[in-house]
Amino acid sequence: MSKTYKIALLPGDGTGPEVLNEGIKVIKAAAKKTNVNFEFVNYDLGGERYKKTGEVLPDSVVEEFKKFDAMYLGAIGHPDVKPGILEKGILLRLRFELDQYINLRPVKLYEGVECPIKGKEPKDIDFIVVRENTEGLYVGSGGFMRKDTPNEVAIQESINTRFGVDRCLKYAFELTKKRNKDNKLTLCGKTNVLTYAFGLWERAFREMGAQKYPGIKLDYTHVDATCMWMIKNPEWFDVIVTDNLFGDIITDLAAMIQGGIGISAGGNINPEGVSMFEPMGGSAPKYTGQNVINPLAAISAGAMMLDTLGLNKEAKMIENAIEKVLASGQIKSMAAGRMGMGTTQVGDLIANSL
Ligand code: IPM
Ligand code: MN
């Protein structure tokens, strides 16, 4: 008997369930072609459950997730729930507790997708951002003093451990080597101001590069300059490695140059454990239930999930189908409501092009 891959589904809020449905549709269609078996288990985490029961993420559910092969998420965020409760209580907590220490964001401009930068073509925009996903300013270290008084003090500290930085760098170096594109790894930091945090990052980066990866070119850019180069010369990038907050910021910029959040996918990866894949877009409450949201990011996240599970053939099949459909020009725009077709039709198109 062949293995059955167990996938936890977290459709979440707003348009999350709609885009996830299309991703599942495409995965099922690919699995049928190569006789792979999947078992999907649904989890109703998100704003509705929180409103009804007050539960954000029960401890027992976190434990259950550890028994899956992967997790597939739609979107988290509800207009009636104060910002932060669900994002921190579900998304960030899962990243931390499941030790998904890599946030992987491929940035690729497909043929047939409009790029907002004049003169840039698919050959110019094809890089991957490796974002550290469990440390930095996201750990919640700090606090208030004299809160709600005119003398209030707020402290938020960036935690960077040599262990955490090294494991992230190792992943990025290995990916650069495996990708074998320009064999260039760019560290994005701020060594001119954040001398402690990025002092550690840069020393670890240069040490690992010199000792273990002589074939990889080491490149460094400050985060502000990274934003500039990403618009001016995106073709310079192959793999970028950076900390949690800088990674969060530059990947939104990167999403725009590949055609928008409608098409950008991410993976929260624990190379030794359970990983979680998600479209980069939010829950888009105003488009909920209208069949107008773009499911390509979710479908693409599904392909990343299969690739990470070792189902490289199936992943490639989905990527090729996305590429083919986009190149055909049938989908008019990546923006919600302007695709010239519905969410479900986009899913059908990809599924039928496998
Ligand atoms: C992301 C998101 C999250 C983050 C939010 C929702 C907490 O912006 O995945 O990039 O900041 O990491
Ligand atoms: Mn973000």
Side-chain angles (χ1 to χ4, degrees):
M1 264 267 298
S2 64
K3 176 179 163 75
T4 295
Y5 292 87
K6 272 190 80 179
I7 311 290
L9 299 176
L10 295 79
D13 302 312
T15 50
E18 289 171 65
V19 294
L20 205 65
N21 273 342
E22 300 314 305
I24 296 161
K25 182 194 280 176
V26 171
I27 290 173
K28 281 185 176 161
K32 213 163 152 187
K33 295 210 183 276
T34 59
N35 285 320
V36 182
N37 297 316
F38 285 99
E39 184 193 335
F40 296 100
V41 182
N42 205 63
Y43 285 86
D44 67 345
L45 301 171
E48 291 303 327
R49 174 161 173 182
Y50 174 67
K51 275 173 63 187
K52 250 182 265 152
T53 69
E55 272 177 329
V56 177
L57 174 59
D59 296 347
S60 61
V61 173
V62 180
E63 285 310 306
E64 280 175 43
F65 285 149
K66 293 181 181 166
K67 295 188 199 102
F68 282 85
D69 290 298
M71 299 155 70
Y72 195 21
L73 175 100
I76 296 291
H78 195 290
D80 303 342
V81 182
K82 204 173 119 211
I85 294 181
L86 302 171
E87 293 87 341
K88 282 170 101 172
I90 300 176
L91 197 57
L92 297 186
R93 186 167 160 218
L94 287 171
R95 288 176 182 172
F96 284 98
E97 290 200 21
L98 300 175
D99 207 16
Q100 295 163 341
Y101 61 87
I102 298 296
N103 194 313
L104 194 64
R105 301 223 165 140
V107 182
K108 187 173 158 69
L109 176 67
Y110 286 100
E111 202 73 58
V113 174
E114 203 187 330
C115 175
I117 314 174
K118 199 169 128 196
K120 296 297 177 193
E121 299 167 34
K123 67 167 178 24
D124 301 317
I125 299 176
D126 181 7
F127 59 92
I128 304 185
V129 179
V130 176
R131 161 186 173 189
E132 201 292 322
N133 213 27
T134 54
E135 297 194 346
L137 277 156
Y138 274 67
V139 301
S141 173
F144 295 111
M145 225 175 102
R146 308 191 205 102
K147 192 160 182 254
D148 289 321
T149 75
N151 299 326
E152 178 163 351
V153 178
I155 295 174
Q156 191 104 37
E157 293 161 320
S158 176
I159 307 293
N160 299 265
T161 70
R162 183 65 193 241
F163 161 77
V165 169
D166 271 341
R167 67 180 181 173
C168 177
L169 288 172
K170 178 170 177 242
Y171 186 93
F173 273 114
E174 289 295 330
L175 178 69
T176 311
K177 197 164 108 181
K178 185 171 147 216
R179 191 166 138 90
N180 196 21
K181 188 185 165 239
D182 305 328
N183 285 293
K184 174 177 168 184
L185 180 60
T186 301
L187 171 65
C188 162
K190 190 72 187 171
T191 52
N192 53 348
V193 177
L194 306 179
T195 45
Y196 307 130
F198 285 100
L200 189 161
W201 272 89
E202 194 178 20
R203 269 181 284 119
F205 175 65
R206 305 238 172 249
E207 237 172 70
M208 191 177 287
Q211 287 173 6
K212 302 217 177 94
Y213 301 95
I216 306 285
K217 289 187 257 338
L218 308 186
D219 179 40
Y220 172 84
T221 54
H222 295 318
V223 63
D224 45 352
T226 305
C227 294
M228 181 177 73
W229 298 127
M230 215 179 259
I231 302 300
K232 194 169 183 292
N233 296 104
E235 64 278 8
W236 287 356
F237 295 118
D238 179 4
V239 178
I240 300 176
V241 63
T242 191
D243 84 342
N244 210 340
L245 182 66
F246 288 171
D248 178 48
I249 297 167
I250 67 169
T251 53
D252 266 27
L253 179 64
M256 287 302 119
I257 70 171
Q258 72 175 132
I261 44 174
I263 187 154
S264 41
N268 301 278
I269 297 178
N270 176 344
E272 296 88 34
V274 186
S275 303
M276 174 167 70
F277 299 84
E278 54 173 331
M280 259 186 73
S283 58
K286 69 172 178 183
Y287 296 121
T288 303
Q290 296 176 34
N291 195 35
V292 295
I293 197 84
N294 189 344
L296 284 173
I299 295 171
S300 198
M304 275 176 88
M305 176 167 77
L306 300 193
D307 196 53
T308 309
L309 289 172
L311 299 168
N312 315 84
K313 196 167 86 189
E314 290 77 3
K316 197 79 205 126
M317 213 155 91
I318 297 175
E319 274 166 42
N320 290 343
I322 294 174
E323 204 163 334
K324 196 166 93 188
V325 167
L326 286 171
S328 76
Q330 293 172 84
I331 305 176
K332 299 290 169 233
S333 158
M334 293 302 104
R338 288 194 236 129
M339 298 188 291
M341 63 178 81
T343 306
T344 49
Q345 276 114 315
V346 174
D348 289 340
L349 254 185
I350 304 291
N352 295 331
S353 307
L354 292 171

